[in-house]
Amino acid sequence: MKVLGAFGSKTQDSQLSSYLLDEHTVIDAGNLIQSLGDDFLKLENILITHAHFDHILDLPTAIDTFYSRLKKSINIFGTQEVIEIIQENIFNDKVWPDFSKIPLIDGSDSTLTFHEIKYFKEYTIGNFIIEPYPNFHTFGSSGFIINNKMVFTSDTFLCYHTWDFLNKNKNLTQLVIEVSFPSEFKRLAVMSKHLTPILLKSELESLQRDDVKIYVNHIKYEYFDKIIKELKAVGLYDKVTILDDNSVIDI
Ligand SMILES: [Zn+2]
Ligand SMILES: [Zn+2]
């Protein structure tokens, strides 16, 4: 997995959520254009964890930018709720053209093809086995189990299913989980369904294993130093790896 965007805010030094599984398949579309360039044309599958802007930002513009050179329909995967939000609010012929109705330039297929995925079902998507599960963030949002090895929570608050999966299935050895806000913003974190260092610490008490490699992502970049300091204060900094743009995880 190559991290194209590891953060919860876009600045000159931080890019939004995008996780390339291989050249054909990516999770979330927060940073596809600047990171991939023409390699975007190799993409076939885009999995969307939820429709928050930081996870879909480059989707409309990338389709438009590369339209004339696209040879195959781009498959967009998400829960019914997520697909509906994207269709009704972005590709609605008002904010942006409905590319699921616009044919590729050679007329062979539609430019975008939406695919609904359901929680707790396994799907073969490109070269990967993906199982979506409810991650407690927005209505219809998903975490993904990838290749029965990694649990990728995406944005999340309380993590019942995440701990359940990891405690029951010892094949799962990698966890990518978020910390968005410093602990003093607990109220905001609870309202917006995100984690702080203290909330992550208390959530991790439900993990009954110590052999899971834990990666932290989605830090709101303006609080980066504060969050690192707090992760140290709660004793987590040495137990997790902080993801950065361009980090690579072997999955
Ligand atoms: Zn979100
Ligand atoms: Zn987000």
Side-chain angles (χ1 to χ4, degrees), residues 46 48 75-84 87 113-119 121-123 125 132 140 142 144:
I46 303 178
I48 304 291
N75 297 302
I76 310 292
F77 296 87
T79 61
Q80 183 189 358
E81 292 85 357
V82 166
I83 298 289
E84 277 176 13
Q87 287 180 316
T113 307
F114 289 98
H115 301 268
E116 187 189 319
I117 51 177
K118 291 187 191 309
Y119 294 143
K121 281 188 74 171
E122 277 189 355
Y123 297 87
I125 298 176
S142 300
F144 295 129

Side-chain angles (χ1 to χ4, degrees), residues 29-236:
N31 184 36
L32 298 181
I33 298 174
Q34 185 226 44
S35 59
L36 289 177
D38 280 359
D39 282 348
F40 180 86
L41 293 162
K42 296 177 187 165
L43 268 189
E44 296 171 9
N45 310 302
I46 303 178
L47 287 77
I48 304 291
T49 61
H50 64 298
H52 275 163
F53 218 57
D54 53 319
H55 299 253
I56 63 166
L57 183 74
D58 272 5
L59 187 56
T61 41
I63 300 298
D64 175 67
T65 300
F66 293 100
Y67 173 72
S68 65
R69 289 190 285 154
L70 276 180
K71 298 271 187 286
K72 280 202 261 184
S73 188
I74 301 268
N75 297 302
I76 310 292
F77 296 87
T79 61
Q80 183 189 358
E81 292 85 357
V82 166
I83 298 289
E84 277 176 13
I85 294 166
I86 293 172
Q87 287 180 316
E88 286 170 14
N89 296 286
I90 305 290
F91 297 103
N92 57 7
D93 288 329
K94 292 177 190 152
V95 172
W96 210 240
D98 180 357
F99 278 95
S100 68
K101 294 206 189 96
I102 296 176
L104 293 164
I105 223 138
D106 68 2
S108 60
D109 203 348
S110 57
T111 305
L112 284 187
T113 307
F114 289 98
H115 301 268
E116 187 189 319
I117 51 177
K118 291 187 191 309
Y119 294 143
F120 305 119
K121 281 188 74 171
E122 277 189 355
Y123 297 87
T124 301
I125 298 176
N127 295 311
F128 298 87
I129 311 278
I130 305 285
E131 179 180 343
Y133 73 95
N135 60 354
F136 208 136
H137 180 57
T138 59
F139 191 54
S141 65
S142 300
F144 295 129
I145 310 288
I146 304 165
N147 282 356
N148 196 32
K149 183 168 183 197
M150 173 187 280
V151 183
F152 184 90
T153 69
S154 186
D155 296 11
T156 192
F157 178 48
L158 307 178
C159 309
Y160 315 111
H161 293 297
T162 301
W163 309 132
D164 205 35
F165 278 125
L166 286 163
N167 289 333
K168 284 185 183 151
N169 181 353
K170 301 289 188 283
N171 291 319
L172 300 170
T173 54
Q174 296 169 320
L175 169 67
V176 178
I177 191 163
E178 69 127 291
V179 170
S180 293
F181 295 112
S183 298
E184 71 188 79
F185 287 7
K186 181 183 175 188
R187 191 158 164 262
L188 178 61
V190 171
M191 282 172 63
S192 58
K193 302 285 186 288
H194 284 295
L195 294 174
T196 66
I198 287 177
L199 287 170
L200 176 61
K201 170 91 174 167
S202 97
E203 275 300 304
L204 278 169
E205 282 163 17
S206 301
L207 178 61
Q208 297 153 3
R209 298 168 54 186
D210 55 10
D211 60 338
V212 178
K213 175 94 177 142
I214 301 171
Y215 300 89
V216 166
N217 71 350
H218 204 268
I219 291 174
K220 298 276 180 190
Y221 198 69
E222 51 274 44
Y223 313 119
F224 186 83
D225 293 343
K226 200 171 183 48
I227 286 171
I228 296 300
K229 216 182 267 180
E230 290 188 0
L231 285 169
K232 285 178 181 164
V234 297
L236 282 183

